[in-house]
Amino acid sequence: MNTMTTARAPFGAISTFRVTGFIANLIADFNDWQARRETYRELARLSPEMLEDIGVTRADLEDSFLIR
């Protein structure tokens, strides 16, 4: 006689997994936001001539970082 058993996750394990995944995503998004903010800050300090040397205008910079 064959019996089939199914494994179940312990009570609350799935919720814990989802919460930790959510927090990990928040941290990753925050780190990405900080990196973009720092990049914008550094590029914003450049003169228009220096931006032109790398092929970027001030308008491109603002459009890329959604600064308005």
Side-chain angles (χ1 to χ4, degrees):
M1 174 184 228
N2 288 337
T3 59
M4 184 174 181
T5 59
T6 58
R8 290 183 165 215
F11 180 74
I14 293 172
S15 296
T16 302
F17 177 76
R18 288 180 180 160
V19 167
T20 55
F22 177 75
I23 292 170
N25 286 339
L26 280 179
I27 291 170
D29 289 346
F30 179 75
N31 289 336
D32 290 344
W33 173 75
Q34 278 188 319
R36 288 179 53 81
R37 195 176 106 216
E38 183 62 28
T39 300
Y40 173 78
R41 189 179 303 151
E42 292 296 322
L43 289 172
R45 291 179 184 159
L46 298 178
S47 68
E49 293 79 18
M50 294 173 96
L51 287 173
E52 185 179 333
D53 286 344
I54 60 173
V56 178
T57 65
R58 187 79 51 197
D60 293 338
L61 184 62
E62 291 175 0
D63 287 343
S64 295
F65 290 93
L66 302 174
I67 306 297
R68 300 257 174 198

